[in-house]
Amino acid sequence: MDPDKFERFLGRLRRQLEKLTRQQVGRTQDAVAAHAARWQCLDIIEAFGRLRKKCPHCGHRRFYRHGYTSGLQRYRCLGCTHTFSALTNTPLLHLRRRDRWLPYLQCMLDTRTVRASATVVGIHRNTSFRWRHRFLNRVVHDRPIPLKGIVEADETYLLESQKGSRCLNRPARRRGGVAHSRGISKEHDCILVLRDRGGQTRDWWTGRGRVTSKQLSWALPAALDQDVVLVTDGAKAYRTFIAAYPFAHVPLNLAAGIRSRGPYHLQNVNNYHSRFKTWLRTFLGVASHYLPNYLGWRHALDGGRITTPEGLLKSALGLRTTTAASH
């Protein structure tokens, strides 16, 4: 709209506002806020797109502007002639209703369920579920630089869940159910958590059953600074891992009641386990397939690292909120 038409429109709007009821004014504010949220969302996406230095299709470094698509700048590659936008090759490609992305991300920051978020934002519950895991697709990779100082390592276990699956590979459980055997077995999902005294956290879903030294060798070396002191329980997997890597190690014999040795203990990581499980109960069960996404979500909320919908959207696009190593 050109400036003159806009001024005439604004004048008519001001005259009409005096005739509106309080409810009509509120609906007008909601409509304007939704449109403003769409442009705010597009600005964040475009800022991400401007960081691209090459074509996402072929890697060619020369491309030019080629109109717009759904409000986003479109480009055409001089190498392969394909067009692309800032969302090409991201998990958010083809998601619609961008005017509702930021309100939906606020629901995620408020830890609302799928149905509650759908009601607040005004979308279908299936759309709400799909959006949740699209937005979390890259958040799970937003992790801190290697942990330093005293690092506590411990695992916690959840009964595996096939919630939402149409093809169960076992008889269905009633109201969650229990494992068929006592103790930790292949019916449990293992979540490995590392946490240093600065509150930085790394976590992994390592699969079913007890953690193994092979899994530790895959996860821990890239997550730890060379000078760390690794505090663990007395599990054999940790002893085998430490024998192959030059990290200082303080094992605690929890079975014998030894829960600390001077400044070395596992209270921080166990407290994180407790907070994570308490938070997880909000969703009345989580499918094992999606556990990595929920770990990333909880990590984003932990310690107020991401406090705004805009910050969560940037993390979902791959604009990391921390200097992170690959998860």
Side-chain angles (χ1 to χ4, degrees):
M1 184 181 292
D2 66 65
D4 291 336
K5 288 183 178 180
F6 175 73
E7 290 300 330
R8 290 195 294 270
F9 163 77
L10 199 59
R12 291 195 302 270
L13 178 62
R14 287 169 178 163
R15 290 191 295 270
Q16 293 298 324
L17 283 175
E18 299 177 357
K19 303 176 184 179
L20 300 181
T21 65
R22 180 176 297 179
Q23 183 180 12
Q24 290 170 336
V25 170
R27 292 177 61 185
T28 303
Q29 287 177 323
D30 291 342
V32 173
H35 205 63
R38 176 178 180 272
W39 283 109
Q40 188 177 6
C41 182
L42 291 176
D43 288 343
I44 295 173
I45 296 171
E46 289 289 21
F48 168 72
R50 285 193 289 271
L51 298 176
R52 279 190 162 163
K53 303 299 181 184
K54 56 186 179 180
C55 171
H57 300 295
C58 68
H60 199 277
R61 292 185 175 275
R62 295 189 64 188
F63 50 85
Y64 60 92
R65 295 180 181 180
H66 188 67
Y68 288 85
T69 174
S70 301
L72 292 174
Q73 179 68 58
R74 182 170 56 192
Y75 302 91
R76 184 179 289 278
C77 176
L78 288 173
C80 64
T81 72
H82 282 87
T83 60
F84 61 92
S85 72
L87 290 181
T88 301
N89 284 3
T90 73
L92 308 187
L93 184 65
H94 301 313
L95 291 189
R96 302 179 181 179
R97 308 300 298 273
R98 290 172 190 153
D99 57 317
R100 306 196 180 188
W101 283 13
L102 294 180
Y104 184 81
L105 291 172
Q106 182 60 56
C107 289
M108 291 184 62
L109 291 174
D110 295 337
T111 315
R112 294 182 183 270
T113 63
V114 165
R115 291 176 183 269
S117 299
T119 300
V120 170
V121 179
I123 56 178
H124 193 273
R125 62 181 180 276
N126 292 349
T127 301
S128 176
F129 180 82
R130 184 169 62 253
W131 282 14
R132 170 183 290 183
H133 293 291
R134 289 283 194 94
F135 285 126
L136 292 175
N137 187 276
R138 287 189 176 176
V139 175
V140 300
H141 302 290
D142 193 354
R143 290 295 191 272
I145 57 178
L147 308 182
K148 299 179 179 180
I150 299 175
V151 178
E152 303 172 20
D154 198 11
E155 64 278 4
T156 188
Y157 296 88
L158 297 170
L159 190 62
E160 66 89 19
S161 171
Q162 298 179 37
K163 181 180 179 181
S165 175
R166 296 179 182 273
C167 301
L168 300 179
N169 58 18
R170 54 162 174 76
R173 300 193 187 103
R174 295 181 62 84
R175 300 184 181 276
V178 295
H180 286 91
S181 58
R182 298 179 62 184
I184 303 302
S185 67
K186 291 296 184 180
E187 296 181 76
H188 292 86
D189 292 304
C190 177
I191 298 172
L192 174 65
V193 179
L194 271 64
R195 191 169 175 87
D196 65 19
R197 296 297 167 84
Q200 298 293 331
T201 306
R202 293 293 302 272
D203 47 55
W204 296 264
W205 173 68
T206 61
R208 305 276 165 75
R210 292 188 179 278
V211 68
T212 65
S213 58
K214 183 178 180 180
Q215 292 167 339
L216 294 176
S217 298
W218 160 74
L220 267 59
L224 297 174
D225 188 72
Q226 293 184 350
D227 298 326
V228 302
V229 177
L230 187 63
V231 185
T232 71
D233 58 23
K236 181 180 178 181
Y238 291 108
R239 298 198 301 271
T240 305
F241 166 76
I242 287 297
Y245 291 89
F247 297 114
H249 182 217
V250 179
L252 300 176
N253 191 348
L254 302 182
I258 302 175
R259 300 188 174 275
S260 64
R261 289 170 57 184
Y264 306 114
H265 54 75
L266 296 173
Q267 294 176 13
N268 290 325
V269 69
N270 288 335
N271 184 268
Y272 187 86
H273 290 165
S274 178
R275 295 201 308 274
F276 176 70
K277 288 183 175 180
T278 300
W279 174 78
L280 212 59
R281 293 193 198 104
T282 305
F283 309 106
L284 304 179
V286 171
S288 298
H289 175 73
Y290 293 112
L291 269 178
N293 284 355
Y294 283 87
L295 286 168
W297 186 359
R298 179 63 228 181
H299 184 267
L301 299 176
D302 187 54
R305 191 172 60 84
I306 296 178
T307 59
T308 64
E310 295 80 8
L312 192 52
L313 177 58
K314 290 177 181 178
S315 186
L317 287 168
L319 295 170
R320 297 186 175 183
T321 55
T322 59
T323 304
S326 177
H327 181 53

